[in-house]
Amino acid sequence: MQPADVLATERISPVGKAASKKRVLEDVADLLATALGEPSSEQVFERLLERERLGSTGLSGGVALPHARMRGVEAARGAFLRLEQAVDFDAMDGQPVDLVFGLLVPEEATDEHLELLASLARVFSEPAFRSRLREAEADAAQILSIIAGKDETDANSGQGPGSVRLPA
């Protein structure tokens, strides 16, 4: 599976205006729901909020990975939001968040969910990768290319340093 299977340009917001953690989760839910039809964005928001109540999905370096398993979701779906102004997300390092990758996976996909989250956390922990995302034009296609690792491809592996290797 390639990142394009999880993330598509219509689920990328390169100029997010959210000013609070709740609003960020609502925006991510809206983006994720566009891929699904059912469940609704309200249902997705409730699942993301439920997960967030268990502990913040704010990592470090200005990154959050809100995620949830959900009945009715047939395949992993991602959404990316780059905020104009960073917001408090109760991140591990106490810093505000401006890069948000939301993820929904099928309710029964626990191993896939964990592997995908680990892969995302690993790539988003790279300072150079975060910088490329922050410096990119306000263009969903360019951001998708960065996340997919196509902006700086390693000739040996076909994957760039910022690529997300997703489980098959």
Side-chain angles (χ1 to χ4, degrees):
M1 181 186 331
Q2 295 301 312
D5 294 328
V6 172
L7 186 63
T9 56
E10 63 269 13
R11 293 189 309 274
I12 295 174
S13 176
V15 287
K17 308 259 188 223
S20 70
K21 181 178 183 176
K22 180 182 178 206
R23 186 64 195 147
V24 167
L25 292 174
E26 289 172 343
D27 288 352
V28 168
D30 288 346
L31 290 170
L32 288 168
T34 64
L36 302 170
E38 282 291 324
S40 70
S41 62
E42 292 81 15
Q43 292 168 314
V44 173
F45 171 71
E46 286 303 319
R47 290 306 300 247
L48 292 173
L49 194 57
E50 266 178 43
R51 169 54 191 87
E52 204 63 34
R53 287 181 184 131
L54 297 174
S56 178
T57 57
L59 304 179
S60 59
V63 173
L65 295 177
H67 57 278
R69 289 180 293 177
M70 189 162 206
R71 181 174 296 151
V73 174
E74 304 213 0
R77 286 288 173 248
F80 180 77
L81 181 65
R82 182 178 69 182
L83 301 171
E84 286 186 338
Q85 296 292 320
V87 300
D88 181 19
F89 216 88
D90 302 314
M92 292 185 330
D93 64 358
Q95 297 301 308
V97 163
D98 65 335
L99 302 174
V100 181
F101 193 102
L103 182 67
L104 279 182
V105 295
E107 192 168 51
E108 64 282 350
T110 55
D111 288 342
E112 177 187 9
H113 186 201
L114 294 175
E115 288 175 33
L116 184 51
L117 279 173
S119 179
L120 289 166
R122 200 168 29 259
V123 73
F124 275 96
S125 72
E126 297 175 16
F129 176 70
R130 295 190 310 262
S131 290
R132 286 195 309 278
L133 286 172
R134 289 181 175 119
E135 293 165 5
E137 301 288 322
D139 178 325
Q142 182 183 13
I143 290 172
L144 178 60
S145 180
I146 292 167
I147 292 172
K150 295 177 183 164
D151 68 320
E152 291 186 21
T153 303
D154 175 17
N156 296 326
S157 69
Q159 295 285 328
S163 63
V164 180
R165 286 190 180 269
L166 302 179

